[in-house]
């Protein structure tokens, strides 16, 4: 059984910062690209940022220069440092990862349960 567990969400004032974490657990052989997505009420789930195994990153235009994605491969953990938060960043944040389980040849995509980020103006 493989699980992704997010943490670090909360309530913050506009201009503040939060750091999200996403930890993968289970019998894991390898983890490929990991990413953060967010979904505001009544809206679709959108990409925030992704990071490949080697560290190559990709960001949505709306968060460039404010958010930083990183990962610790030894800990199977990904992070999202969010600075200069705006009210429009309010959403449920999900992590996603392409994970190869031990004994299986192909990766499966897993989602965490989500962590709420609320930015008050």
């Amino acid at each position: 059984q493989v699980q992704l567990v997010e943490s670090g969400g909360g309530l913050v004032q506009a201009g503040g910062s939060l750091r999200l974490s996403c930890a993968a657990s289970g019998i894991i052989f390898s983890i490929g690209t990991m990413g953060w997505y967010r979904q505001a009420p009544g809206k679709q789930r959108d990409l925030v940022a992704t990071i490949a195994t080697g560290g190559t990153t990709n960001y949505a235009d709306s968060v460039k220069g404010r958010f930083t994605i990183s990962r610790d491969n030894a800990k199977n953990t990904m992070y999202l440092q969010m600075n200069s938060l705006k009210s429009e960043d309010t959403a449920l944040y999900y992590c996603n990862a392409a994970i190869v389980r031990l004994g299986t040849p192909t990766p499966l995509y897993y989602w965490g349960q989500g962590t709420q980020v609320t930015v008050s103006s």
Side-chain angles (χ1 to χ4, degrees), residues 11-16 85-90 118-121:
L11 174 64
V12 64
Q13 288 189 330
L85 283 161
K86 306 175 181 180
S87 57
E88 51 263 44
D89 295 318
T90 295
T118 303
V119 184
S120 63
S121 56

Side-chain angles (χ1 to χ4, degrees), residues 54-120:
T56 300
T57 59
N58 177 56
Y59 295 93
D61 287 344
S62 59
V63 306
K64 281 181 181 176
R66 300 188 298 123
F67 291 9
T68 302
I69 190 171
S70 61
R71 62 191 287 172
D72 184 333
N73 292 330
K75 296 181 179 180
N76 288 340
T77 301
M78 172 180 63
Y79 306 96
L80 185 68
Q81 178 66 44
M82 305 185 294
N83 299 327
S84 302
L85 283 161
K86 306 175 181 180
S87 57
E88 51 263 44
D89 295 318
T90 295
L92 192 59
Y93 283 70
Y94 296 92
C95 68
N96 173 269
I99 295 175
V100 178
R101 294 181 299 167
L102 195 64
T104 61
T106 57
L108 295 177
Y109 288 86
Y110 292 85
W111 289 93
Q113 81 288 351
T115 185
Q116 179 68 38
V117 172
T118 303
V119 184
S120 63

